[in-house]
Amino acid sequence: NDGNDSPHVIPGVIMPGESGTFHTKTRHIFRVYDEELGLLREHNVSQASDHIVIHEACHVVDKEAIQREMESLVHNQTEPCLPEDASPEWSCIRYIPRNEYQRRLDEFAGTVYGFSTKEESQTREIGDTEDKEWSFNIPKIPRVTTSGPGFLKMSFTKRMNEILLPWYKMHKKGGPRDMVRQHHVIRGGFTNSHTVTMSMLNIPHKLKLDLIQEMRRVLMWWTGGRPLEETATFGIRIYHRNSMLINHVDRADTHLASAVLQIAQEGVDQGWPLEVLHPDNSCSEVYLQPGEMVLYEGARFRHGRPMRLNGTDFANLFTHFRPYDWHGPGNSPRYDNQLDHDGFLKGSPSSSSTTKDEL
C-alpha cells in the first residue's frame, strides 16, 4: 500500500525458489509474507526497477506435515446422515439419484424448491431451480483437482476456528458488538434477495487477510500444491427464512477453487444443504455444521441452495481462488482447446485421453 492507511493488495504468491514481477508505483510499501513465519521483509519502492531478494529468512514448507494436518480435517465423505429425523444436526453428504432428484422437483418446485411467485422469479419461471445461461462454459473450465467429484467436506483448521467463530459471536445480531447490516440485493436473478432480505456482517481487513492466507494453504493442498491467486472473499452473509439460491456455475475467469465456510446456524428447523449437481443430473447434498466447510470447483460444477431455508439465520462465508495461469476461457493458452471431456488436460495422468503407455 502507500502507507496512508490505503487498502492492502495481494498481487500474488511466489513459491520457494521462484521469482515474481509485480507492477507497483514509487512510494508504495511492498511487504513479503511467509504463510508460517509472517512478515519477512518490508520495502519502500523508490524506483521502477526495485527488486527484493530474500535468502536467510526463507521458510521451507513441511509438505508432509501439511498433508497430515489436512487429512486429519477431512470428513468421511460417505458417513450416513443420522439421526434420520433430525436433519438440522446433520454433518454428511447425501446422494440423490437422478430419477429421485427429478421426481422431487416435479412435486415440490415452486413450493419447497426454487422461486415461489412471479415477484420472486421476475424474468425466470415460478419453480425454476437452476440457471442454465452460463452452463455453456463448463466444457471450457479446467479441473483444479486431479480426481474426485469436484468437492470435499472437511473441518476448519485450528487457525480458522480461532479467528472466525469468536469474532462472529462478538459481532453477530444481538452480540456485545452487533455489526450486522442489511445485505444488498444480489443481481442476476440467482436468489430471491429482492423479496426475502438477507443480512451481512463484513469481516475486518486484518481478519480477511488472515483468512485468505489460511484458505490459500488449504486450497493449495487440495489442488495438489498448485499456486493459487485469491480473487474474492466475502461475507459473512446471513440468510433468513425462505432464502434460496438456484443452482448455477460461478464466474469462469475467477472462481475455480472455492470454499463455503459454515459460520453459524440458528433456529433451523430443517437442514439446508449445498447441492452439487453431477454431470448426469444426480445430486449430492452437502450438510454442514458450524466450524465445517466444503471445498468445491464452482466454475465447473453446478451448485446452489434451491431448497428454501426453513430457519431463522444461516451464516456463510465465501472465498474464491484461481490458478495463476488461468484468465478465463479464450484467454488461457495452456488450457484452451487442451481439455478432455472431464476437464483434465489431455495427456495428464488424470485425463481419460491418456493411454496406459503414457502413464
Side-chain angles (χ1 to χ4, degrees), residues 182-183 192-199 238-241 243:
Q182 183 171 324
H183 199 294
N192 58 353
S193 62
H194 57 291
T195 59
V196 179
T197 303
M198 298 188 300
S199 299
I238 307 168
Y239 299 92
H240 302 301
R241 190 173 299 276
S243 289

Side-chain angles (χ1 to χ4, degrees), residues 25 86 167:
K25 297 179 180 179
W167 188 89

Side-chain angles (χ1 to χ4, degrees), residues 36-51:
E36 296 291 339
L37 302 177
L39 181 66
L40 297 181
R41 184 75 59 84
E42 180 174 288
H43 179 73
N44 289 286
V45 179
S46 59
Q47 57 186 13
S49 60
D50 273 4
H51 66 278

